[in-house]
């Protein structure tokens, strides 16, 4: 069998495994720049430039948002081999914070207990990355958290597996406001050096195993019922609504790309206007849907973005108003959301500002639309 054929077989096997776990095919798998930022910070500290690590194809500079998932994995492996250290993944995971997980980090933060947080993770983790998917099994009082990464069938992934588990471990410990003990932890890759093994054992507080079929962490199932001290139950429906809107937009985009890209052909580049609309929708509730933030996410200067949008005849403000208008229709139709919550989701500081905008768009205030049903 030729090397090309073997590579093609691995790619097909990885895509088949991805479908099994609800992931897009490799050519569409992405990592949000917010999730990748801890890795980029670690590389900067090591004096490494992502654009010159010898990736094929090379990453463009500035980096796109989102990054191709396989490029992100290759980036970690190349950086670890070229000076960032063999425990790079561990250090990247230790840097993860709520914002690293995009919108679903805030949903998890507002979940009442760790069982609910796990369910939210399984629902929304694709907003942060397509590196893998989570699964939870409970048997005989023991919980087994499995993280499935189908891309390991295509390329090495030690660093990404260790970074994902370290990130979860750090985030969970922060949520609980105390250490939560593991009973066992195993990774699919071979054991690293004795020094690296010792660092992993010390970090996770358990003797780490290697060569497992899947990344697996085991813990006492009673921890799933433990409440999250910082949870704000009143915010959870609102944050879920925002996450659902983002998830729906992402899934719609993926389905469109599937339709346009049969037989593994690379999908067309998303038009700039649609890129800006997507960035606006993702940032509205976090008060980050401004020209400067969107331009940075797209790897452009604000002036360049403004000039390109002007050439298309679609100014930034028009795109912002359009996204708000579309989402306002959807949110007002949902009786579970108050008008104050809708104003927050759309990035307005006050409900009155939202009401004024809604009336300008539709000729009547949102209260009247709701009364009409």
């Amino acid at each position: 069998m030729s090397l090309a054929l073997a590579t093609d077989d691995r790619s097909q096997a990885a895509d088949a495994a991805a479908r099994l776990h609800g992931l897009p095919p490799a050519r569409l798998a992405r990592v949000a720049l917010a999730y990748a930022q801890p890795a980029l910070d670690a590389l900067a500290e090591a004096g490494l430039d992502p654009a010159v690590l010898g990736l094929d194809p090379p990453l463009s500079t500035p980096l796109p948002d989102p990054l191709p998932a396989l490029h992100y994995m290759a980036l970690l492996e190349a950086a670890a081999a070229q000076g960032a250290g063999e425990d790079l993944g561990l250090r990247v995971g230790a840097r993860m914070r709520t914002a690293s997980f995009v919108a679903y980090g805030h949903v998890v933060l507002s979940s009442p207990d760790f069982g609910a947080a796990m369910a939210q993770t399984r629902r929304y983790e694709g907003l942060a990355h397509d590196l893998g998917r989570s699964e939870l099994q409970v048997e005989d009082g023991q919980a087994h958290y499995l993280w499935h990464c189908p891309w390991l069938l295509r390329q090495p992934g030690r660093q990404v597996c260790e970074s994902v588990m370290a990130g979860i471990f750090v985030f969970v410990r922060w949520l609980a406001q105390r250490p939560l003990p593991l009973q066992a932890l195993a990774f699919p890759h071979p054991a690293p050096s004795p020094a690296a093994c010792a660092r992993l054992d010390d970090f996770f507080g358990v003797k780490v195993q290697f060569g497992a079929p899947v990344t697996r962490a085991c813990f006492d199932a009673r921890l799933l019922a433990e409440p999250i001290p910082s949870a704000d139950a009143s915010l959870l429906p609102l944050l879920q609504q925002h996450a659902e809107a983002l998830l729906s937009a992402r899934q719609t985009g993926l389905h469109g790309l599937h339709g346009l890209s049969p037989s593994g052909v690379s999908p067309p580049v998303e038009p700039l206007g649609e890129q800006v609309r997507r960035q606006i929708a993702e940032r509205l509730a976090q008060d980050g849907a401004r020209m400067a933030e969107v331009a940075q996410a797209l790897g452009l200067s604000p002036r360049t973005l403004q000039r390109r949008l002007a050439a298309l005849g679609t100014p930034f403000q028009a795109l912002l108003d359009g996204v708000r208008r579309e989402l306002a229709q959807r949110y007002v139709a949902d009786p579970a959301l108050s008008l104050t919550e809708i104003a927050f989701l759309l990035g307005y500081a006050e409900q009155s500002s939202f009401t004024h905008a809604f009336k300008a768009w539709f000729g009547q205030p949102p209260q009247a639309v709701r009364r009409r049903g």
Side-chain angles (χ1 to χ4, degrees):
M1 180 183 295
S2 69
L3 178 60
L5 181 58
T7 300
D8 186 59
D9 286 347
R10 290 197 299 270
S11 298
Q12 292 182 22
D15 280 349
R19 287 194 298 273
L20 181 64
H21 297 293
L23 282 157
R27 70 182 187 277
L28 300 180
R30 295 292 183 264
V31 174
L33 198 57
Y35 188 85
Q37 194 59 52
L40 301 177
D41 292 342
L43 265 63
E45 285 187 2
L48 297 176
D49 182 349
V52 296
L53 287 175
L55 301 186
D56 183 21
L59 284 171
S60 59
T61 303
L63 298 178
D65 185 9
L67 291 167
L70 269 63
H71 259 59
Y72 175 76
M73 290 178 62
L75 176 70
L76 291 181
E77 296 297 327
Q82 297 181 41
E86 66 168 327
D87 60 349
L88 173 64
L90 185 67
R91 291 184 282 111
V92 167
R95 292 172 175 263
M96 295 288 179
R97 298 295 182 267
T98 305
S100 305
F101 301 96
V102 195
Y104 97 81
H106 296 282
V107 176
V108 170
L109 188 62
S110 296
S111 299
D113 55 51
F114 284 97
M118 183 66 228
Q120 304 297 348
T121 295
R122 295 178 64 192
R123 173 70 178 165
Y124 299 120
E125 64 187 324
L127 295 177
H129 63 76
D130 296 320
L131 296 167
R133 287 294 180 263
S134 299
E135 181 184 359
L136 183 68
Q137 299 175 353
V138 179
E139 184 178 359
D140 297 330
Q142 190 175 53
H144 303 266
Y145 170 80
L146 287 73
W147 190 68
H148 301 277
C149 178
W151 318 128
L152 299 179
L153 295 171
R154 290 187 52 151
Q155 62 189 58
R158 172 195 164 187
Q159 302 302 329
V160 77
C161 290
E162 292 183 6
S163 70
V164 166
M165 293 307 295
I168 294 171
F169 187 74
V170 166
F171 190 42
V172 167
R173 185 169 54 189
W174 181 76
L175 287 176
Q177 299 180 11
R178 71 177 183 86
L180 294 181
L182 290 176
Q183 295 175 341
L185 175 62
F187 290 111
H189 50 270
S193 70
C197 288
R199 285 191 290 269
L200 287 167
D201 294 349
D202 182 63
F203 183 88
F204 290 106
V206 68
K207 183 67 175 177
V208 177
Q209 304 297 314
F210 301 93
V214 66
T215 301
R216 179 191 295 265
C218 303
F219 55 93
D220 191 327
R222 289 176 295 183
L223 294 176
L224 294 171
E226 181 165 322
I228 295 176
S230 59
D232 186 342
S234 65
L235 280 178
L236 184 57
L238 177 64
L239 295 169
Q240 284 179 306
Q241 180 78 15
H242 179 56
E244 283 293 334
L246 296 181
L247 189 64
S248 176
R250 172 168 169 71
Q251 290 173 341
T252 298
L254 285 174
H255 292 159
L257 288 173
H258 277 302
L260 292 169
S261 307
S263 304
V265 177
S266 296
V269 176
E270 187 180 25
L272 179 62
E274 290 306 307
Q275 293 183 55
V276 172
R277 282 169 51 83
R278 176 170 53 81
Q279 294 292 339
I280 288 172
E282 291 179 1
R283 286 167 166 75
L284 275 175
Q286 278 75 44
D287 195 30
R290 298 185 178 89
M291 171 80 80
E293 284 85 353
V294 171
Q296 182 180 24
L298 295 176
L300 303 170
S301 70
R303 180 172 297 181
T304 298
L305 178 59
Q306 186 176 34
R307 184 176 67 251
R308 292 186 182 179
L309 290 176
L312 294 171
T314 53
F316 183 83
Q317 188 62 46
L319 292 173
L320 174 60
D321 290 342
V323 171
R324 279 175 159 164
R325 186 179 189 276
E326 292 175 21
L327 290 177
Q329 279 187 299
R330 183 187 306 177
Y331 292 153
V332 168
D334 186 347
L337 290 174
S338 71
L339 296 182
T340 300
E341 290 172 332
I342 294 173
F344 168 79
L345 285 172
L346 297 179
Y348 290 104
E350 298 177 353
Q351 181 186 327
S352 59
S353 299
F354 161 62
T355 300
H356 178 77
F358 192 93
K359 189 173 181 180
W361 292 326
F362 302 108
Q364 53 188 323
Q367 297 93 330
V369 173
R370 280 200 156 164
R371 284 196 296 270
R372 195 176 69 241

